[in-house]
Amino acid sequence: MIRAGVLLILCLSVCKFCDAEKRLSPVIIVPGLGGSRLEAKLNRTDSVHFLCRKTTTDYFSIWFSFEFLVPFVKQCWMDNIKLTYDNETRTTNNHPGVDIRVEGFGDPKYVEWLDSEQKLVGVFNTMAESLVELGYVRNESLRGAPYDFRKGPSESGRYFENLKSLVEFTYEINGDRKVTLLAHSMGAPMSAIFLRRQQQSWKDKYIRGLISLNGVFAGSVKALKTYVVGDDLNEFFIPESFLKTLQISSSSLPLLMPYSGLWKDRILVETPSKNYSMDNIEEFFTDIGYATGWEMWKDQLPHLTLEPPGVEVHCLYGTGIPTITQLLYNQPSHFPNKPAFKYGAGDGTVNLESLDSCSRWTKQQKQKVYVQGFPGMDHNQILSDSRVLKYVSDVLSNYLQ
């Protein structure tokens, strides 16, 4: 009788746990800048170097690829992945003969790891494992929504349509349970833009909430630094000066610039002869010799807003890491390629003002907004920090439906 009683208790406990698993809010991961795999297929008539292949029979990984670290070969890589801007169509395009597509939409492994071996370059891998331990199942209750991070929201209409379909499908296969969007860095404003495009009735039916991890909701001064010297994405092995060519050709970079609504007339770039703020940002682009940047910024301007997304938000971010707040030029000859930097509060990449801009939504929408800072945590560390893993797990556990 005792043994039977113990077995009965164990069975009830297991069933209760299984029931909890069935009621977890499904999660769709929206990665940040550089957090999606890209594939390319070539059918080119020219190349920048005789070592460059012009044609391929199938798609191959172009991001992430270590080709950009190999002399000569990195020229081929850059010429294949960079974009060109068409001032008439207001769009960016690949080099003729280069077809680039996003790999693995819907499958979380493509946002967990950037390398196909799933060993070297992890992104959401630790977070995903934490969710699996909580009871999530990949490709069922845990999904991934990678995108072409080179493209700004003005060129992401199809992505937003696909994301909407993925939300609805994930909702349906999980017993009509509302979906939680889990976004990092640039993925947070992309998620917010996506949500603003939807009817409130649709959000009320399909969305449980948005969990933002170091969301760049109001841009970052570091984006201006990228236009003049590039950025290594906080990875020591990536040469920032080389990546600059790709970065400034991307229409997504203006999305990460300081938003005028927050930064207003604050001086962001200081030189002996002229200062630059968002009020005269066109002059900045002209003076650095990249007027195309101004054109691409205008294309994204309608999306550079701090309007609330209309869903419950958990806004998590790191603090206490020196973050660029101003570009300084002490000598005219140093402009624009040799800036010095002034530092302030943030996560090392995004300024605190931007990270915390989500707090204004507490008074702008009826849905709840939770804001939590984590001292000593940098921009990418948030994806694996134990404090954040626990917070996310606790939130999702409380979302049991």
Side-chain angles (χ1 to χ4, degrees), residues 260 264-266 276-283:
S260 300
K264 300 180 180 178
D265 59 354
R266 188 183 310 184
Y276 302 91
S277 68
M278 294 309 296
D279 285 344
N280 66 337
I281 196 64
E282 180 180 6
E283 295 178 36

Side-chain angles (χ1 to χ4, degrees), residues 139-397:
N139 291 312
E140 293 181 15
S141 53
L142 179 60
R143 314 303 302 274
Y147 55 96
D148 189 341
F149 52 83
R150 303 174 303 160
K151 303 283 188 173
S154 69
E155 299 187 77
S156 300
R158 180 172 295 180
Y159 171 71
F160 292 137
E161 291 174 3
N162 291 339
L163 179 55
K164 183 177 182 180
S165 297
L166 181 62
V167 168
E168 294 173 350
F169 179 70
T170 303
Y171 168 91
E172 293 169 0
I173 67 172
N174 285 277
D176 293 349
R177 281 177 288 139
K178 295 182 180 182
V179 173
T180 298
L181 300 179
L182 178 61
H184 174 237
S185 189
M186 190 177 91
M190 287 290 284
S191 296
I193 292 167
F194 163 73
L195 291 168
R196 293 185 195 115
R197 292 165 63 106
Q198 312 309 318
Q199 295 290 331
Q200 189 62 50
S201 58
W202 184 91
K203 290 183 283 190
D204 292 342
K205 178 178 179 179
Y206 290 104
I207 302 295
R208 184 64 180 83
L210 166 64
I211 302 177
S212 166
L213 309 175
N214 281 338
V216 198
F217 285 115
S220 172
V221 179
K222 195 174 185 181
L224 297 178
K225 175 246 186 186
T226 302
Y227 278 107
V228 294
V229 295
D231 181 52
D232 61 8
L233 304 179
N234 295 326
E235 299 291 350
F236 70 92
F237 54 84
I238 297 180
E240 65 179 14
S241 60
F242 178 69
L243 281 187
K244 173 187 171 183
T245 300
L246 166 61
Q247 291 164 336
I248 67 173
S249 76
S250 301
S251 61
S252 60
L253 185 54
L255 176 64
L256 305 179
M257 287 178 58
Y259 286 19
S260 300
L262 179 67
W263 301 91
K264 300 180 180 178
D265 59 354
R266 188 183 310 184
I267 296 174
L268 303 175
V269 182
E270 183 178 298
T271 78
S273 59
K274 182 190 295 187
N275 294 329
Y276 302 91
S277 68
M278 294 309 296
D279 285 344
N280 66 337
I281 196 64
E282 180 180 6
E283 295 178 36
F284 170 77
F285 283 116
T286 299
D287 292 346
I288 68 172
Y290 194 62
T292 297
W294 163 249
E295 297 298 329
M296 288 196 286
W297 182 79
K298 288 192 295 183
D299 295 338
Q300 309 312 318
L301 188 56
H303 305 282
L304 308 185
T305 172
L306 290 173
E307 295 178 6
V311 302
E312 180 175 302
V313 177
H314 290 262
C315 191
L316 315 181
Y317 55 78
T319 63
I321 308 296
T323 305
I324 295 173
T325 60
Q326 195 175 57
L327 278 63
L328 303 173
Y329 295 90
N330 298 321
Q331 300 180 30
S333 61
H334 288 176
F335 182 83
N337 300 320
K338 297 180 180 180
F341 304 108
K342 181 178 179 180
Y343 292 87
D347 68 0
T349 295
V350 185
N351 309 93
L352 181 59
E353 296 94 328
S354 179
L355 295 167
D356 190 61
S357 61
C358 52
S359 63
R360 65 177 59 197
W361 296 338
T362 58
K363 298 180 180 180
Q364 296 178 346
Q365 65 175 35
K366 65 179 182 179
Q367 296 82 6
K368 293 182 179 179
V369 177
Y370 303 88
V371 181
Q372 177 71 56
F374 294 85
M377 185 173 63
D378 70 25
H379 190 67
N380 290 339
Q381 184 185 353
I382 197 169
L383 296 176
S384 58
D385 189 281
S386 60
R387 296 168 293 175
V388 176
L389 297 180
K390 183 179 185 306
Y391 186 106
V392 172
S393 294
D394 288 346
V395 168
L396 294 172
S397 296

